[in-house]
Amino acid sequence: MSYRVGIPRGLAYYYLFPFMQAFLQALGVEVVVSPPTDALTMAAMSSCPTDEPCVSVKLFYAHAQRLVNSGVDCLFVPALSSVDRDNYCCPKLIGAAAMIRNGLDLEAEQVLAPEWNEREKPGRWQDNLREVAARLDVGPADAERAIQAGFAAQAAAEELAHRGLTIPEVYHRLCSQEKPHRQHLDPAAEYDRQEVIAVLGHPYLLYDRVGHRVVERLAEYARVITPEMIPAADYWPEVAAIYEGNRLWAYEARILGAGLSLLHQGKITKMVLVEAFECGPASVIETFLATEAERYDIPFLLLTVDEHTGEAGLVTRLEAFVDTSGGRQRGRSPVKGSTTPPPRRQALRVGAPGMGLLDVALTTVLRECRVKMIPTPPVTKHTVELGKELAPEFICYPLVTTLGQIRELLKQGANTIVMVGGKGRCRLGWYAQIQELLLKRLGLDFRLVIIDSPLPLRQRWPAFRRALAEITANAPLWRIIRGIYRGYQKMMVLDQAEALVRRKRAYESRHGAADKLWQDFVRQVKRANGASQVQGLYQGFTAALRAIPEEDSQPLRVKIVGEIYTVLEEFVNQEIERFLASRPEPRVEVVRETSASQWFNLNVLHRRQEVERYRAVLAAAAPYLNVCVGGHGQESVGETVLAAREGYDGVIQLLPFTCMPEIVAQNILVPLSEKLDIPFLSLIVNEQSGTAGWETRLEAFLEVLAERREKMAISGGEGYGLLPGY
């Protein structure tokens, strides 16, 4: 049987098509590529379940839909988790196959999705390709030849690109794809041989319809250099020179490294970065490129595009940019500005942005080490405004709020800032470096210390120990360990107590009684000195909580899932848990698994209870999302599946605007919730989220849940039991 296998013209197509085509053709199948983006493709973007993904993901849905409609037997959509040993790919490349399969309601056998994950599963990429070959009725020997044919084709494509060809030109010569359309776009354009413009961005933007042919337009005015033309020997050292730059997302590393290489070698006179609206990784590399272009006095233009971007406005901006003066003399040294004097020795004053009550644990550690910690300011509207003044436009909301908190801490006298690190699939690990760049451009003088996980100890402990020494003024290790233990104890009892409060709110006769106890308890725990005192406070708190009178009711049970910062930070989520529990009718019990101690128990201590639950969550997610997309994206899917099985009335997902892992999860959960027959509400937060609209949506959601429960009761559906008492 001869199979027809479709390759959507988007995302991985623009990076790995030579490999994919050669591999599949060597297996003896017919390769069908979706046609170039046209009006029909743009109309088919409605197949994307939500509006949140970047335009490239929406186009990928459209191209996949057109292939399915054309009658292909299956789609070939590799899950690109990691193509290099040190880093990951963007979550949308990791989760593309899962989004397509769930969003287009395809059967598992209709999507061939071999995972490439060199970081966590080195060598398995070829095994996964052999499994694809077997599904296409091809034996091991022919599969091996097909894999080698793919590698050879990809190497040939990269060699052609390094000679100065664009990706469409390479694909035309090597893969028999359509010839790039040549047309004089601006009759008035005058080519300047002295100008060389770097046009940076993902090829699925630069060479698709939504990019409005930006490369071709600028090529009428000057020589254009694009990222694919820069070999790894030139771009990789530039990325490696950045702190943990080797762990930047693979394809963004190529874009950033290419831009830095061209700047540092003096090969360009202007630079353009094209990014998609809401593109997460682009919001990170944008800061590095803009900062370095300014340092070299090279004009820099950021173009943001989506499906609504008008061609006329974009062309006007390009024409004005081409006329920009400056950058004519290549090869010059960086512009010298005022140098910041080396910091004077000062008494250590540590500050750290917060997340829920996590700062209580850090304060305890530093107090034990006799180091002054500036109290973490609560997130307020003013905090958000301070962060928004400096942050890139499409950076995620948690970076904005924590950036604002850092500015407040520095104003209050902090001279050392502690931030979490850990480069992974989401942007969290890059917050600290981006924030440092942005703040030091203001001339602020401070030391930034990045705390990363100490595991695995053999590789990570030395860096972790150095970071601890910096923020504890070289305190003895025994003091640090005792402080960590005491801080952990506080974090644990606070999370346990808060879980009890969430339950009590649903039953208490007088609204607000549990919250009053909770607020007093938090203040007492903050002041407590030893673990025994903390435990005593906890026992007293639980006894007082039990004594609060309860009503006889069967509250709605609502599960909260989503991105950890948004779930835990009350100002950011507009105190959603309190709002839900404050409704007189219907009463609501809010349940969430995510907490600071749960994360620590799972990822650092590997406690059995958390590990077993985590495995159950991943197993529940696997039929719908079987790869990790970063953050809590996979957990959001798994917890929703379990919530349906465990009898919850509904699920609410909380995510920051532009959060990549949660957007992947959202696009799976919207169609999946219908299959699971569980009401689902996805709430996206940013600095413009209004309380009134937020509460209206929540009240409407609760009405749906109440009506659904009533109908189930009438029809004889299973009742909803109460959660066990504490």
Side-chain angles (χ1 to χ4, degrees), residues 14 54 63 119 164 250 262 271 317 346 363 386 396 408 430 540 543-544 559 581 646 660 724:
Y14 285 96
C54 66
H63 281 283
R119 181 168 172 82
L262 293 169
M271 178 179 287
R317 291 191 65 193
Q346 298 175 324
T363 302
L386 288 175
C396 46
E408 290 179 312
W430 289 96
K559 187 71 171 287
E646 294 166 357
M660 303 176 296

Side-chain angles (χ1 to χ4, degrees), residues 56-268:
S56 305
V57 172
K58 295 175 185 176
L59 281 171
F60 198 70
Y61 271 98
H63 281 283
Q65 182 70 71
R66 293 193 69 177
L67 286 169
V68 171
N69 293 345
S70 73
V72 297
D73 296 301
C74 53
L75 302 175
F76 187 81
V77 184
L80 302 182
S81 292
S82 170
V83 299
D84 293 318
R85 285 290 183 97
D86 291 333
N87 53 34
Y88 295 104
C89 294
C90 170
K92 63 176 174 278
L93 291 173
I94 303 173
M99 287 192 287
I100 291 300
R101 184 161 56 82
N102 287 276
L104 301 185
D105 195 21
L106 303 177
E107 299 296 331
E109 59 269 18
Q110 289 181 270
V111 182
L112 303 173
E115 184 188 12
W116 191 356
N117 190 346
E118 287 302 307
R119 181 168 172 82
E120 296 168 343
K121 304 171 186 176
R124 285 295 306 277
W125 167 236
Q126 296 189 42
D127 292 337
N128 295 337
L129 290 170
R130 294 184 188 100
E131 291 177 10
V132 168
R135 286 178 59 181
L136 296 172
D137 303 324
V138 176
D142 288 336
E144 191 61 38
R145 282 191 287 272
I147 292 170
Q148 297 309 314
F151 285 141
Q154 191 66 31
E158 291 179 6
E159 183 180 348
L160 283 175
H162 296 162
R163 295 180 191 173
L165 273 65
T166 64
I167 284 176
E169 291 170 337
V170 170
Y171 287 7
H172 170 64
R173 289 196 187 186
L174 188 67
C175 307
S176 301
Q177 290 293 284
E178 56 280 340
K179 188 176 182 179
H181 184 60
R182 292 293 183 189
Q183 177 185 348
H184 205 48
L185 299 170
D186 182 4
E190 295 182 6
Y191 190 87
D192 187 340
R193 296 182 179 276
Q194 299 301 311
E195 291 275 25
V196 183
I197 304 175
V199 183
L200 309 175
H202 286 290
Y204 47 72
L205 288 176
L206 298 184
Y207 305 117
D208 202 295
R209 174 171 172 162
V210 293
H212 295 291
R213 302 169 70 179
V214 61
V215 174
E216 294 176 49
R217 291 182 186 281
L218 289 173
E220 294 184 349
Y221 297 94
R223 181 186 167 204
V224 168
I225 302 178
T226 52
E228 63 266 25
M229 300 175 186
I230 308 301
D234 287 338
Y235 77 71
W236 192 245
E238 299 288 348
V239 178
I242 299 170
Y243 175 69
E244 294 192 322
N246 62 310
R247 299 170 71 183
L248 188 69
W249 305 278
Y251 296 120
E252 281 72 20
R254 297 184 187 187
I255 296 169
L256 175 59
L260 295 178
S261 173
L262 293 169
L263 280 169
H264 296 160
Q265 294 182 30
K267 291 185 175 181
I268 58 173

Side-chain angles (χ1 to χ4, degrees), residues 153 174 221 251 314 322 330 382 446 453 473 475 536 563 605 615 631:
L174 188 67
Y221 297 94
Y251 296 120
L314 183 140
V322 168
R330 290 180 275 149
H382 178 63
F446 65 97
S453 169
E563 189 271 330
L605 299 183
R615 288 172 179 167

Side-chain angles (χ1 to χ4, degrees), residues 321-499:
F321 180 71
V322 168
D323 292 336
T324 302
S325 60
R328 286 277 175 180
Q329 297 177 5
R330 290 180 275 149
R332 72 180 122 186
S333 301
V335 176
K336 293 182 179 180
S338 59
T339 58
T340 304
R344 294 171 294 177
R345 281 193 173 274
Q346 298 175 324
L348 189 61
R349 296 191 299 277
V350 176
M355 182 181 71
L357 294 169
L358 188 58
D359 60 298
V360 175
L362 181 58
T363 302
T364 303
V365 175
L366 296 182
R367 182 194 299 166
E368 183 66 33
C369 297
R370 300 174 183 174
V371 171
K372 179 176 176 57
M373 180 169 175
I374 307 297
T376 301
V379 180
T380 64
K381 184 177 179 181
H382 178 63
T383 310
V384 175
E385 290 171 351
L386 288 175
K388 196 62 182 174
E389 283 179 11
L390 303 181
E393 185 175 3
F394 299 118
I395 205 70
C396 46
Y397 193 29
L399 183 141
V400 174
T401 56
T402 52
L403 177 60
Q405 283 183 310
I406 293 174
R407 293 186 71 180
E408 290 179 312
L409 287 164
L410 294 175
K411 187 174 182 180
Q412 292 170 18
N415 54 25
T416 300
I417 298 295
V418 181
M419 273 293 292
V420 295
K423 305 297 191 297
R425 297 165 175 86
C426 82
R427 284 171 283 185
L428 172 63
W430 289 96
Y431 282 12
Q433 285 158 265
I434 297 299
Q435 289 166 337
E436 184 178 32
L437 271 177
L438 295 170
L439 291 167
K440 292 201 169 178
R441 284 167 71 174
L442 291 180
L444 295 172
D445 179 21
F446 65 97
R447 181 185 298 275
L448 181 78
V449 179
I450 299 176
I451 301 288
D452 201 348
S453 169
L455 302 175
L457 291 175
R458 183 171 296 180
Q459 288 138 12
R460 308 295 302 176
W461 174 256
F464 181 74
R465 180 68 182 91
R466 286 193 299 271
L468 286 181
E470 279 194 77
I471 65 171
T472 62
N474 264 326
L477 187 58
W478 66 268
R479 277 194 178 277
I480 296 174
I481 293 174
R482 189 166 73 177
I484 291 174
Y485 173 73
R486 290 180 173 178
Y488 169 74
Q489 288 295 317
K490 289 186 178 183
M491 182 172 65
M492 279 289 295
V493 300
L494 286 171
D495 285 340
Q496 289 170 356
E498 192 175 17

Side-chain angles (χ1 to χ4, degrees), residues 4-10 12-14 17-18 20-22 24-25 30-37 41 60 62-64 66-68 70 72 74-76 171 175-178:
R4 297 178 72 239
V5 179
I7 297 179
R9 189 185 295 262
Y13 165 86
Y14 285 96
F17 177 67
M20 294 190 287
Q21 182 192 51
L24 291 171
Q25 287 180 340
E30 179 186 351
V31 176
V32 182
V33 181
S34 57
T37 300
T41 311
F60 198 70
H63 281 283
R66 293 193 69 177
L67 286 169
V68 171
S70 73
V72 297
C74 53
L75 302 175
F76 187 81
Y171 287 7
C175 307
S176 301
Q177 290 293 284
E178 56 280 340

Side-chain angles (χ1 to χ4, degrees), residues 52 277-278 394-397 655-659 684-686:
E52 298 314 311
F277 181 82
E278 291 195 42
F394 299 118
I395 205 70
C396 46
Y397 193 29
L655 65 151
F657 182 60
T658 79
C659 177
I684 300 161
V685 299
N686 64 8

